Amino acid sequence: YRVIMVDEYQDSNVAQFLLLQQLAGVEEHASCRVCVVGDDDQSIYKFRGAEVQNILQFQHQFPETKLIRLETNYRSSTQILACADAVVSHNKDRLGKTLVAAHGEGKKPTLVFLPNQDDEASFCADLIEQLHEKKVPYGDWAILYRTNAQSLTFETEFLHRKIPYKVVGSLKFYEREEIKDVLAWLAFLANPRDQIAFRRIVNKPARGIGATSQDKIVSASAGSSILETARSFKLSKKASEGIQSFCAIADELNSFFADKNNSEEKLSAYIQAVVQKSELEELHKADDELTGTNRIANMQELINSAVLYPCTNEGLLDFLDHIELDRTLENEANEIADAVTLITLHNTKGLEFPRVIITGMESGVFPREDKTGAELEEERRLFYVGITRAKNDLYFTSCALRRLYGRTNYMSPSPFLHELGEQNVRMLGQKPASFESVSEGSRDEEGNPLSKKWHVGLGVYHDDYGHGQIVKAGLSEEGEYVISVSFENGGIKRFLPKYQSSALMVEENV
């Protein structure tokens, strides 16, 4: 070939890089001209095999390369680009560039601190409705989040307020296979005469109970309990073993409420047990590993949504009624061209919207807790991609509380929000103490061994005050390491962890 051109080179994988070298005849010193176009700051698909080093090392792999920086941005305003540049400049592994907006200064992006995820969804809905009254189309808006599971709260809020929306790159929450599976289990446990639920779950995962056996059991039940009918129904050896296994799981889950004497237990614990004991967790975890889906995360979000209900049979019925109402509203809502877009950050690549809200900006949500080094830099590039989808208006939302791991957790703002620079955003809501203290706290803590265990954002439990979260940490004037803990009752207490090890404990998954 005399000329080879490659677009979106930042998304190429190692095999494609090697192929390009072979086609270009690099080792043979062929006279082929190679032109690649890409943005290293938008390399966000490592989970699909993309290798950012392909573009970063291109000048070394292809001799006599000329680097041309395309720095004029025809989408976003200067103020939005200032946020994007402030964040991505924290990455060490990049070629570097300074974007210049062709469309002028624009409005300063807004950072909003909210009490919890329900308030987050309500804030988004209020903002959209207020501007819609001023003739701003619903279709101008995009709500971005890190994982598909986060769509549930927004879908619920928008359904009840009749705000048209579309979920891009995924099914709507209650239409997802794994969610239908869990809800079928819950429906059958609440009503063992439910034929549809029984047929969906009895052979999932496979237990050797085929359609013919299912038909016989349902027919024999004659409108009574399918579970009781199945328990004594005569089938082939394989099907009989499968149905007994199914009945044993149902019996164990049916006894769950009777075993719970603690009135403070939430329904999320029950649904967590359903997901695990039904073997749906194991089944869909295997699917996630094979196909890169987020089915476990979606089931976890369903579990999180049950935190608001008591762990009783009545709580289960109320939970199912609530979901049935949402599904009814969803079915009644017609597909409308003018609709708000709900979309993950990964799926926004190549898209643009007049108005963007990037939600869930908390440590542990975005970026994920397990991200460090090169993976953290990719998370930061993902944030950069989200920011640069906005043309005119840009909002960031961060919550003080979020339902995670089947309970309500204290959250600390995403470290990416600190990187935005306060001069680049206007702030609304109550700024968390942890947001104000990070810069000085990290300086004071440096070198102190206690800082590794007792740090800002950590969940703790105190014998006298209950559950809380560290919102400030550092050295006192006397040189003692001091932490400030915000407790669920609203109070903030200061402790010297060096002397409080017996009364103050670290909580997992908080």
Side-chain angles (χ1 to χ4, degrees):
Y1 297 97
R2 294 181 59 192
V3 179
I4 298 174
M5 299 186 68
V6 184
D7 195 13
E8 299 290 352
Y9 190 64
Q10 77 281 345
D11 295 332
S12 63
N13 57 38
V14 173
Q16 291 166 334
F17 159 71
L18 294 173
L19 175 62
L20 179 60
Q21 277 200 320
Q22 291 295 315
L23 291 175
V26 173
E27 294 182 0
E28 293 81 14
H29 303 287
S31 59
C32 177
R33 293 178 177 271
V34 177
C35 175
V36 302
V37 179
D39 183 354
D40 56 305
D41 289 332
Q42 295 193 49
S43 180
I44 60 173
Y45 295 125
K46 186 173 180 62
F47 67 96
R48 294 179 183 170
E51 177 50 70
V52 68
Q53 293 301 322
N54 286 356
I55 192 168
L56 295 178
Q57 298 299 320
F58 186 86
Q59 296 172 85
H60 303 292
Q61 301 294 345
F62 292 82
E64 300 181 24
T65 292
K66 181 179 180 180
L67 177 63
I68 301 173
R69 288 181 167 84
L70 305 178
E71 297 182 311
T72 302
N73 183 287
Y74 295 94
R75 175 187 298 147
S76 305
S77 67
T78 297
Q79 296 274 19
I80 291 172
L81 294 181
C83 284
D85 183 66
V87 170
V88 81
S89 64
H90 283 77
N91 277 359
K92 297 177 181 179
D93 221 357
R94 62 189 294 257
L95 296 173
K97 60 182 176 294
T98 303
L99 295 179
V100 178
H103 293 312
E105 191 73 9
K107 292 188 290 186
K108 186 172 287 190
T110 303
L111 170 55
V112 187
F113 293 105
L114 296 154
N116 56 56
Q117 68 203 76
D118 297 319
D119 293 305
E120 179 181 53
S122 180
F123 168 80
C124 294
D126 288 343
L127 189 61
I128 292 167
E129 284 187 328
Q130 287 168 10
L131 287 179
H132 189 257
E133 291 176 358
K134 298 179 180 179
K135 308 304 180 183
V136 173
Y138 290 121
D140 273 13
W141 292 94
I143 293 183
L144 281 51
Y145 36 75
R146 180 63 180 79
T147 65
N148 272 316
Q150 290 169 254
S151 74
L152 175 59
T153 311
F154 299 106
E155 290 190 54
T156 300
E157 183 74 15
F158 289 1
L159 282 170
H160 285 266
R161 294 174 67 159
K162 300 189 184 315
I163 297 175
Y165 72 91
K166 57 184 176 182
V167 180
V168 175
S170 174
L171 294 170
K172 291 185 177 181
F173 191 82
Y174 293 121
E175 294 175 0
R176 297 169 192 171
E177 178 187 354
E178 62 279 8
I179 300 303
K180 287 183 175 181
D181 292 342
V182 179
L183 292 178
W185 260 104
L186 296 175
F188 184 71
L189 291 167
N191 176 19
R193 293 175 293 182
D194 190 327
Q195 298 181 25
I196 296 175
F198 171 74
R199 291 180 186 277
R200 184 176 186 93
I201 62 177
V202 68
N203 202 40
K204 193 171 188 179
R207 299 185 177 91
I209 310 166
T212 301
S213 296
Q214 294 173 31
D215 289 341
K216 290 178 180 178
I217 293 170
V218 170
S219 178
S221 68
S224 61
S225 171
I226 298 174
L227 182 62
E228 293 306 316
T229 302
R231 199 187 308 279
S232 57
F233 198 80
K234 290 185 178 181
L235 297 166
S236 66
K237 182 179 179 182
K238 184 178 181 181
S240 181
E241 290 174 352
I243 203 69
Q244 292 308 314
S245 172
F246 173 78
C247 290
I249 294 170
D251 289 342
E252 184 176 0
L253 292 170
N254 278 328
S255 66
F256 192 90
F257 293 136
D259 295 338
K260 295 294 173 184
N261 297 319
N262 183 2
S263 60
E264 295 183 0
E265 189 78 74
K266 300 300 182 182
L267 187 65
S268 53
Y270 179 66
I271 300 180
Q272 179 74 61
V274 170
V275 168
Q276 292 174 341
K277 296 183 184 301
S278 66
E279 301 177 10
L280 289 176
E281 182 176 53
E282 186 176 345
L283 173 70
H284 290 303
K285 184 177 181 181
D287 289 339
D288 281 354
E289 292 172 353
L290 185 65
T291 63
T293 52
N294 294 293
R295 293 181 174 180
I296 293 296
N298 289 333
M299 291 193 293
Q300 184 62 59
E301 189 62 23
L302 182 67
I303 292 167
N304 295 338
S305 68
V307 168
L308 303 175
Y309 298 83
C311 192
T312 61
N313 191 61
E314 292 75 17
L316 173 60
L317 294 175
D318 287 345
F319 179 71
L320 291 173
D321 284 346
H322 173 84
I323 290 175
E324 186 58 34
L325 175 60
D326 287 350
R327 294 170 89 171
T328 300
L329 291 172
E330 188 176 287
N331 291 333
E332 291 175 353
N334 297 319
E335 287 293 329
I336 300 174
D338 182 24
V340 178
T341 296
L342 303 184
I343 188 169
T344 65
L345 284 149
H346 277 106
N347 282 329
T348 61
K349 185 76 175 295
L351 303 178
E352 61 180 37
F353 307 92
R355 294 171 171 81
V356 169
I357 308 174
I358 304 180
T359 63
M361 293 302 302
E362 299 103 43
S363 181
V365 176
F366 188 38
R368 308 275 283 276
E369 287 180 330
D370 57 347
K371 303 299 182 183
T372 58
E375 290 186 338
L376 182 60
E377 291 209 350
E378 177 150 331
E379 289 279 292
R380 191 177 282 114
R381 291 195 293 270
L382 184 59
F383 188 34
Y384 172 88
V385 167
I387 292 172
T388 53
R389 298 311 93 192
K391 296 172 67 175
N392 304 321
D393 293 355
L394 177 62
Y395 296 81
F396 310 98
T397 59
S398 180
C399 299
L401 295 171
R402 186 172 291 274
R403 295 186 290 275
L404 294 170
Y405 315 113
R407 57 170 295 177
T408 301
N409 296 271
Y410 283 96
M411 308 299 292
S412 57
S414 168
F416 295 158
L417 295 181
H418 300 285
E419 296 172 1
L420 287 172
E422 290 194 28
Q423 72 280 6
N424 291 324
V425 295
R426 70 184 185 104
M427 296 191 192
L428 300 177
Q430 184 173 354
K431 185 161 62 172
S434 58
F435 190 76
E436 297 178 309
S437 66
V438 163
S439 59
E440 65 177 83
S442 59
R443 183 172 62 248
D444 290 341
E445 297 167 22
E446 188 174 357
N448 192 298
L450 289 172
S451 66
K452 294 181 179 180
K453 180 178 180 181
W454 307 96
H455 55 82
V456 171
L458 182 72
V460 297
Y461 180 82
H462 192 277
D463 288 345
D464 295 329
Y465 304 109
H467 302 284
Q469 184 184 49
I470 299 176
V471 295
K472 193 170 184 179
L475 298 178
S476 67
E477 293 181 0
E478 294 77 21
E480 292 282 6
Y481 188 76
V482 182
I483 60 174
S484 296
V485 180
S486 176
F487 289 100
E488 288 182 343
N489 61 13
I492 296 180
K493 303 291 182 181
R494 301 180 75 216
F495 300 98
L496 299 174
K498 181 178 179 180
Y499 308 107
Q500 291 279 332
S501 58
S502 60
L504 197 62
M505 296 175 289
V506 173
E507 287 194 315
E508 299 296 330
N509 294 331
V510 178

